[in-house]
Amino acid sequence: MKVFTFLIAGALCMAALSGCKINNPSEPFNDAMDGSGGLTAAETNNMGNVVEDLMSPSGTAKAAVETVTVEKIIIPWNYDQTNGYWTRSAEATYQTGTYVRLDTVWFKDAGGAAVKTPLVATVSTYKHVRSTTTKFTNTFDFRWEMNVAINKTPSDTVFVFNGSGTGAFNGDVFRSTTISNVNRRWIATSHPHLQFPSSGTIDMVRVLRTIDIVFTGNGNATATVTRKSDNKTVVFTIHVQTGAEVQ
């Protein structure tokens, strides 16, 4: 186990973790931007970034853009030879709360066999399960299960993410969360290699509302929150890297 202070790449924004509110009284409802949409989009993005650590030549020593200083306790990537998967756990401690996650990843080649040393050239698909708990002003407990296909052509490589999630936001249980055809290009000469999602959707069904997120490229997504009782909607932008929700 390592304990150290560093600047975390693509950290989930404090606004998302602490909860954002709409300040314009003309909006249909003033809690549509509660941070849950931003957290979901940012976590989906971050899951790809974490797996990139394993699939890059530099491995877990990958350099990245650094944005938020935290103290982090981390158990590094470890390969389970018997079950054929990689695991890693991490905890980030901020002044206002904590963020804990456990990642488990199964890499497969074109024939479906487990890949111990994952590279883009040798991996065709992988499954990524992540369990997270964030405790700030808001509490977010979630489990993600993502299936990723790596589509390769002579001129391009695209990671396609499909999956689902279960969990709760401040005790409000999500009825369903579905990630559909989120496309991210892999560029070997770029750092990081995985680009922001260029397309794809996340559809979230909560008890009193639905949240539909569409990735629009350039690090952004558009979120539409619909209140079930009267179909009132609020539309806003999510900055994918940080999870910030802005109008």
Side-chain angles (χ1 to χ4, degrees), residues 37-47 144 146 161-162 177-184 195-204 212-224 236-243:
L39 269 170
T40 305
E43 198 78 67
T44 299
N45 182 69
N46 181 262
M47 286 180 72
W144 308 85
M146 201 83 71
F161 296 75
N162 285 279
T177 298
T178 305
I179 300 93
S180 302
N181 296 319
V182 174
N183 281 243
R184 301 183 66 179
Q195 306 304 292
F196 285 119
S198 59
S199 61
T201 62
I202 302 174
D203 297 306
M204 306 162 62
D212 300 303
I213 299 169
V214 179
F215 290 100
T216 56
N218 299 318
N220 293 319
T222 298
T224 302
F236 54 90
T237 297
I238 295 172
H239 295 324
V240 172
Q241 184 174 18
T242 63

Side-chain angles (χ1 to χ4, degrees), residues 54-81:
L54 283 168
M55 301 186 74
S56 303
S58 56
T60 56
K62 181 190 71 171
V65 177
E66 297 150 335
T67 56
V68 179
T69 303
V70 301
E71 182 178 66
K72 190 163 187 175
I73 302 171
I74 182 171
I75 300 175
W77 286 112
N78 178 67
Y79 187 70
D80 186 311
Q81 186 73 44

